[in-house]
Amino acid sequence: MKKTLYLNCFSGISGDMMLGVLLDLLGQEDLQLFLEGLALKNYEVSVTRSKRRGVAGVDVRITPGEDHPHRGLKEIMEIIEKSTIDPGAAAKASETFRLLAEAEAAVHGTSPEKIHFHEVGAVDSIVDIVGACVLLEALDPARVVISALNVGSGTVKCAHGEMPVPAPATAKLLEGVPIFSLGDPMERTTPTGAALARVFASEFGPVPPGVIVRTGYGLGDADTELANVLQGTLLEETDLRVGDIHHTRRHGGCDHRH
């Protein structure tokens, strides 16, 4: 049976959260092992198990050894091309940065080639995107289904000043994608998270019917009243019918809480 990855973005999605959930689903804790072929140095990776609102998951932190250099799309593409990583992962990483550049260009009224990334061009974001693409290739699901995205609310500070949430580039990336807002005011879906969701998703929608093989959780930075985690479920899809589901319920398929 084919395996499907379902990402439940009830608390949003970011690059770090994506790295964490994929590592958790793979049962791995050594991200550096997957980044050996990345043609980029001067950064440190921290992977720990922690909790958000009592939910345990993988907390990934990337610490750059440089202060957010500005990089153009051409420079980032060269880093990816020089990297000895899976060709499928390289293609996905290039597509992700291309989408980011197009979104930024649309917001600022220029061309993708003239965009010089700030946060996105920094070491941590390159590691987030390339790492997530390498991990997805390692997990190798037949398809990826992603829920509606919690974008958050309020404002966020970035290189261009204080912006509304979702940030303009994020909003551009999410055109045609189902979204909602829930929880304390904050940026819950980042531009990096939005771009990865666009590239990874075979479709956006509810969890498909199937048998759960494994679950994983990637942790966000903030510990808010809403558990700041990205939930990933690996499923073996089945042809369950409504009658089958009712039969399962009658025979103890539900967790009855008293």
Side-chain angles (χ1 to χ4, degrees), residues 6-213:
Y6 181 70
L7 294 176
N8 188 343
C9 305
F10 71 95
S11 191
I13 186 170
S14 67
D16 288 347
M17 293 166 84
M18 186 73 86
L19 289 174
V21 73
L22 291 173
L23 278 172
D24 206 15
L25 286 168
L26 286 164
Q28 299 286 334
E29 293 187 359
D30 186 0
L31 177 60
Q32 198 64 59
L33 182 68
F34 293 90
L35 294 172
E36 285 182 350
L38 178 59
L40 190 69
K41 305 299 179 186
N42 200 22
Y43 67 90
E44 292 183 4
V45 175
S46 167
V47 178
T48 58
R49 291 199 67 84
S50 188
K51 294 179 182 179
R52 297 287 183 270
R53 289 291 165 182
V55 179
V58 176
D59 189 358
V60 179
R61 304 292 175 99
I62 310 299
T63 305
E66 51 187 279
D67 185 26
H68 294 290
H70 293 193
R71 283 190 171 95
L73 181 62
K74 182 174 179 290
E75 294 168 284
I76 293 172
M77 291 299 191
E78 286 174 354
I79 290 172
I80 296 170
E81 287 169 8
K82 289 176 184 176
S83 300
T84 55
I85 59 176
D86 180 275
K92 283 184 174 66
S94 296
E95 184 183 356
T96 303
F97 274 108
R98 170 61 64 177
L99 281 177
L100 281 163
E102 289 173 352
E104 290 282 356
V107 168
H108 298 297
T110 185
S111 68
E113 287 71 27
K114 292 181 179 178
I115 287 294
H116 276 78
F117 295 111
H118 304 285
E119 293 89 351
V120 171
V123 169
D124 53 340
S125 293
I126 295 173
V127 175
D128 282 349
I129 289 170
V130 174
C133 292
V134 171
L135 290 171
L136 185 70
E137 289 298 306
L139 189 63
D140 194 28
R143 69 179 183 135
V144 180
V145 181
I146 299 181
S147 74
L149 275 62
N150 186 353
V151 295
S153 61
T155 60
V156 62
K157 291 182 179 179
C158 62
H160 298 286
E162 197 156 349
M163 296 287 178
V165 170
T170 303
K172 188 68 181 174
L173 285 161
L174 295 180
E175 288 180 357
V177 174
I179 66 167
F180 66 99
S181 176
L182 183 69
D184 290 340
M186 61 177 286
E187 182 183 45
R188 294 186 180 273
T189 293
T190 65
T192 299
L196 285 170
R198 286 291 302 271
V199 172
F200 287 2
S202 306
E203 63 183 88
F204 290 89
V207 60
V211 177
I212 294 177
V213 176

Side-chain angles (χ1 to χ4, degrees), residues 229-242:
V229 302
L230 174 61
Q231 181 188 54
T233 305
L234 197 61
L235 298 154
E236 279 189 354
E237 288 202 50
T238 63
D239 294 324
L240 278 174
R241 297 178 295 275
V242 174

Side-chain angles (χ1 to χ4, degrees), residues 216-235:
Y217 295 88
L219 307 187
D221 290 339
D223 196 5
T224 67
E225 91 297 348
L226 182 65
N228 193 16
V229 302
L230 174 61
Q231 181 188 54
T233 305
L234 197 61
L235 298 154

